[in-house]
């Protein structure tokens, strides 16, 4: 069965360059891993082997060594970010006057190890952004920062800035996804392959990564909510997403994430 999946990938993507069926293939790989897991204790590792074999076929136009090199130089030299406002994807400077919340910072650190997504939910003025800034400046691994505003309610804009946020740390990230994004429409069906390419690149990263989506309450686009849900599902265990919002986000599958222990949260009650 694993070799059959590899053959399908080679035929569909490598030989025919069919990106439309790429996301379906990733879902099949994920389903295959769950099937193996029910039958034996090595299911997870078989799933990883399949994905690893696919990556070795030249899935992306850059190789893993290039990504590894960028890890050492990410804080020294960075490629130009192809977005209108680069400040939106740069980690803000911490203000010394802000009170540190060590207990909540420890909570976030534990959440990274156990979950795929963490929701920080509280009204305005509770210090959600400040908490994440404090955490990001102390983190031992890269934190991709994306400060959202009302102008990000367009799927193309959202994905472009998301890729730019990761490129702050890994300048070669998302080359294939950006190329696909230029050809995609704003429909969910068209953008799924772009998210699939982002997910594969996340799996290739040589380091754990946290993606912060700051002020997510400004997002009112159902397709963006669906894209975030797909990113959470397929981003891999080395990628964790922090969402801070004044309201509960409308991201699909939240109940399922909670049931599987893949979602954590901090509410306004924990700030006191």
């Amino acid at each position: 069965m694993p070799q059959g999946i590899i053959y399908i990938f080679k035929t569909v993507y490598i030989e025919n360059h069919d990106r439309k069926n790429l996301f379906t293939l990733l879902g099949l790989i994920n389903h295959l891993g769950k099937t193996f897991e029910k039958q034996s204790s090595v299911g997870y590792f078989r799933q990883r082997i399949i994905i690893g074999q696919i990556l070795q076929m030249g899935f992306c136009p850059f190789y893993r060594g290039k990504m590894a090199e960028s890890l050492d130089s990410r804080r020294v030299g960075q490629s130009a970010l192809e977005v209108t406002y680069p400040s939106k994807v740069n980690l803000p400077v911490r203000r010394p006057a802000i009170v540190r919340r060590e207990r909540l910072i420890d909570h976030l650190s534990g959440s990274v190890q156990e979950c795929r997504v963490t929701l920080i939910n509280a009204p305005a003025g509770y210090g959600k952004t400040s908490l994440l800034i404090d955490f990001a400046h102390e983190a031992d691994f890269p934190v991709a920062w994306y400060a959202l505003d009302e102008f990000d309610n367009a799927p193309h804009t959202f994905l472009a800035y998301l890729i730019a946020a990761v490129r702050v740390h890994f300048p070669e990230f998302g080359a294939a996804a950006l190329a696909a994004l230029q050809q995609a429409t704003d429909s969910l069906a068209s953008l799924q392959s772009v998210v699939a390419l982002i997910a594969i690149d996340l799996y290739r990263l040589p380091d754990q990564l946290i993606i912060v989506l700051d002020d997510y309450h400004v997002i009112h686009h159902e397709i963006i909510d669906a894209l975030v849900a797909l990113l959470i599902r397929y981003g891999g265990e080395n990628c964790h997403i922090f969402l801070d919002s004044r309201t509960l986000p409308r991201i699909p599958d939240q109940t399922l994430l909670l049931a599987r222990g893949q979602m954590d949260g901090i509410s306004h009650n924990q700030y006191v």
Side-chain angles (χ1 to χ4, degrees), residues 30-104:
N30 187 52
H31 174 73
L32 181 65
K34 292 177 181 178
T35 302
F36 282 145
E37 190 172 2
K38 292 179 181 179
Q39 297 175 354
S40 69
S41 60
V42 297
Y44 173 79
F45 296 101
R46 290 188 181 181
Q47 182 187 16
R48 296 295 98 185
I49 290 172
I50 293 171
I51 294 177
Q53 287 178 293
I54 286 176
L55 293 177
Q56 291 175 3
M57 290 183 180
F59 178 80
C60 293
F62 49 87
Y63 58 95
R64 184 174 177 85
K66 194 84 170 181
M67 297 289 283
E69 290 171 8
S70 68
L71 173 63
D72 298 327
S73 61
R74 65 181 182 234
R75 291 189 176 90
V76 179
Q78 298 165 356
S79 62
L81 301 177
E82 298 177 357
V83 289
T84 306
Y85 302 105
S87 60
K88 288 164 59 68
V89 295
N90 286 322
L91 178 63
V93 176
R94 184 186 182 279
R95 291 178 291 172
I98 300 297
V99 176
R100 288 175 49 82
R101 294 181 169 90
E102 296 290 349
R103 177 176 54 85
L104 297 183

Side-chain angles (χ1 to χ4, degrees), residues 2-31:
Q3 293 304 318
I5 296 296
I6 298 301
Y7 174 78
I8 293 172
F9 177 84
K10 184 177 180 181
T11 303
V12 169
Y13 186 79
I14 298 297
E15 296 180 1
N16 297 326
H17 305 286
D18 186 356
R19 294 178 184 273
K20 293 182 179 179
N21 290 317
L22 176 59
F23 209 90
T24 302
L25 180 61
L26 290 178
L28 181 58
I29 293 171
N30 187 52
H31 174 73

Side-chain angles (χ1 to χ4, degrees), residues 234-251:
Y234 295 105
E237 296 191 359
N238 65 331
C239 177
H240 190 97
I241 296 178
F242 283 168
L243 289 155
D244 79 81
S245 176
R246 298 177 186 176
T247 58
L248 290 175
R250 300 170 299 175
I251 296 174

